[in-house]
């Protein structure tokens, strides 16, 4: 497969030559949460055919962004992991996720797939370090059959697939409820109040959870719709402003 190029001696263009092809950044997204087997990547990237997946992985290997490894016992199976250069794309992926939460999400399309495990990176993208000052806690999230956890240590976060050894708090909900949290049509507090979610564990740890992850307010990219939204806000503000007698 011929590699397309912008033929520009520019850092941005050179980077896009490496990772700009379809599916490439999503492969890196998957590998940012740890080594994956070929079958793991197939399961996470539905719609990506076997041949194209193999081609994209060879490209990442050839360009020094990923490498083949053997998973430790008891698995002892071949897998793929990011190199140092691949790992350094992490902040770029998180920045794209933050931009997407603000400017690209909206309501889910019925044809779109959704996997709760994608939140392993999403939690990092939405993490507020200042809100975690002085906190040392492990949160485990159980979304139907998916389990992942976040380890908070004084303004830093580590998120991983799988259960935690000693979680301080456990949050359980259905995939449908979690999807509503992601699309910002439901808050965690509302989910717990209505029974769509449950939370157990240390009370202070659960209390701190509310402020640890902040989703940006969704915005529209279309100028006309934004103008109407701004006008509606202004009308509301004018209605709330008391009029003074002349």
């Amino acid at each position: 497969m011929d590699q397309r190029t912008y033929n520009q001696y520019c850092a941005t263009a050179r980077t896009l030559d490496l990772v700009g092809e379809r599916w490439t950044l999503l492969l890196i997204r998957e590998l940012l949460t740890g080594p994956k087997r070929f079958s793991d990547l197939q399961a996470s990237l539905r719609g990506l055919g076997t041949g194209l997946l193999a081609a994209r992985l060879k490209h990442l290997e050839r360009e020094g962004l990923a490498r083949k490894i053997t998973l430790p016992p008891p698995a002892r199976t071949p897998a793929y992991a990011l190199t140092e250069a691949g790992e350094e794309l992490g902040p770029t992926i998180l920045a794209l996720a933050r931009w997407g939460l603000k400017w690209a999400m909206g309501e889910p399309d019925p044809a779109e797939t959704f996997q709760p495990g994608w939140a392993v990176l999403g939690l990092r993208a939405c993490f507020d370090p200042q809100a975690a000052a002085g906190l040392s806690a492990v949160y485990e999230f159980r979304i139907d059959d998916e389990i992942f956890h976040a380890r908070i240590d004084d303004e830093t976060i580590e998120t991983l697939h799988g259960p935690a050894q000693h979680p301080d708090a456990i949050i359980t909900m259905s995939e449908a409820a979690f999807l509503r949290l992601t699309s910002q049509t439901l808050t965690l507090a509302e989910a717990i109040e209505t029974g769509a979610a449950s939370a157990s564990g240390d009370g202070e740890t659960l209390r701190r959870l509310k402020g640890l992850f902040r989703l940006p307010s969704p915005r529209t990219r279309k100028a006309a719709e934004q103008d109407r939204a701004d006008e509606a806000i202004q009308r509301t503000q004018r209605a709330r402003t008391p009029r003074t007698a002349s």
Side-chain angles (χ1 to χ4, degrees):
M1 182 181 297
D2 293 334
Q3 180 179 337
R4 291 183 289 185
T5 176
Y6 289 101
N7 284 319
Q8 293 183 9
Y9 187 62
C10 159
T12 302
R14 284 281 186 94
T15 302
L16 289 174
D17 283 344
L18 296 175
V19 300
E21 291 283 0
R22 192 165 182 257
W23 295 106
T24 303
L25 281 178
L26 293 185
L27 269 172
I28 293 170
R29 178 199 69 186
E30 295 301 312
L31 294 175
L32 279 169
T33 58
K36 301 287 188 302
R37 297 170 299 180
F38 191 92
S39 58
D40 296 329
L41 295 170
Q42 275 187 309
S44 296
L45 299 171
R46 298 168 191 168
L48 174 57
T50 302
L52 186 55
L53 173 57
R56 289 289 182 265
L57 288 170
K58 286 181 181 178
H59 167 76
L60 292 177
E61 284 186 85
R62 183 172 60 249
E63 298 298 343
L65 298 174
R67 60 192 177 90
K68 288 180 180 177
I69 65 166
T70 299
L71 293 176
R76 292 194 180 92
T77 55
Y80 293 87
L82 292 176
T83 62
E84 180 183 2
E87 290 282 356
E88 288 197 7
L89 285 165
T92 302
I93 302 293
L94 295 182
L96 284 171
R98 284 188 286 267
W99 186 93
L101 287 167
K102 182 176 182 179
W103 293 103
M105 288 294 281
E107 291 292 325
D109 188 283
E112 292 179 319
T113 60
F114 175 74
Q115 295 185 32
W118 291 335
V120 173
L121 274 187
L123 291 175
R124 298 183 203 174
C126 301
F127 178 62
D128 183 350
Q130 292 183 343
L135 176 64
S136 179
V138 178
Y139 296 88
E140 182 173 287
F141 300 87
R142 301 176 180 178
I143 317 298
D144 285 347
D145 295 332
E146 292 258 18
I147 301 178
F148 49 92
H149 65 277
R151 185 178 302 276
I152 312 294
D153 187 13
D154 191 20
E155 302 188 27
T156 65
I157 184 171
E158 179 186 25
T159 57
L160 296 167
H161 288 285
Q165 288 190 345
H166 303 289
D168 299 291
I170 298 173
I171 296 87
T172 305
M173 70 182 73
S174 67
E175 181 177 318
F178 190 68
L179 178 58
R180 291 190 62 195
L181 257 70
T182 303
S183 60
Q184 301 192 54
T185 58
L186 180 73
T187 66
L188 180 58
E190 291 169 343
I192 293 174
E193 288 173 5
T194 60
S198 64
S200 61
D202 178 70
E204 176 63 14
T205 300
L206 288 169
R207 187 190 69 79
R208 295 284 298 270
L209 174 62
K210 181 179 178 181
L212 291 177
F213 305 100
R214 300 185 183 277
L215 290 169
S217 298
R219 298 283 301 276
T220 177
R221 302 186 305 277
K222 299 178 181 178
E225 293 181 11
Q226 185 61 57
D227 290 342
R228 286 195 292 270
D230 291 342
E231 289 173 4
I233 293 172
Q234 291 172 6
R235 286 196 298 271
T236 302
Q237 290 174 339
R238 287 196 295 268
R240 292 176 176 174
T241 303
R243 296 182 179 179
T244 57
S246 57

